[in-house]
Amino acid sequence: RATRETVDFRRLSRLVAGAFSARRKKLKNALPLDAAEFAALELDPDLRPENLSPSDYLRVARFVAQRSEGSEGSEGGAGDARA
């Protein structure tokens, strides 16, 4: 049986809501990532939010969580989504 990673549902929800908050916004202006992070995630920052799949959003949310884990601590718990 494959192992599933978790992501904080609240974090994922905020990420997706932020990405779609304005019309015609590009990912580079919608997601909390810099150019190197977009490259590490193999995402084109000039794409629009609707171009990402749900699994792409999960990947970004996990990346942001890992990046900020040291400063915010773990927010796991009942709000986790499994992918």
Side-chain angles (χ1 to χ4, degrees):
R1 184 173 164 164
T3 304
R4 293 185 174 187
E5 294 182 46
T6 62
V7 64
D8 181 355
F9 182 76
R10 290 169 297 192
R11 183 184 307 270
L12 176 63
S13 180
R14 285 191 306 263
L15 183 78
V16 173
F20 285 95
S21 67
R23 288 186 50 166
R24 310 217 18 98
K25 190 181 268 192
K26 292 184 178 182
L27 293 177
K28 65 185 171 187
N29 298 317
L31 296 178
L33 303 171
D34 63 27
E37 293 169 329
F38 276 109
L41 287 164
E42 298 179 356
L43 292 175
D44 180 353
D46 288 321
L47 290 176
R48 302 206 184 277
E50 62 269 20
N51 297 123
L52 295 188
S53 69
S55 62
D56 289 330
Y57 280 104
L58 286 170
R59 235 172 7 108
V60 172
R62 285 187 196 109
F63 182 87
V64 171
Q66 288 175 348
R67 180 185 67 189
S68 63
E69 194 170 86
S71 63
E72 293 180 20
S74 177
E75 293 182 20
D80 285 353
R82 301 222 177 244

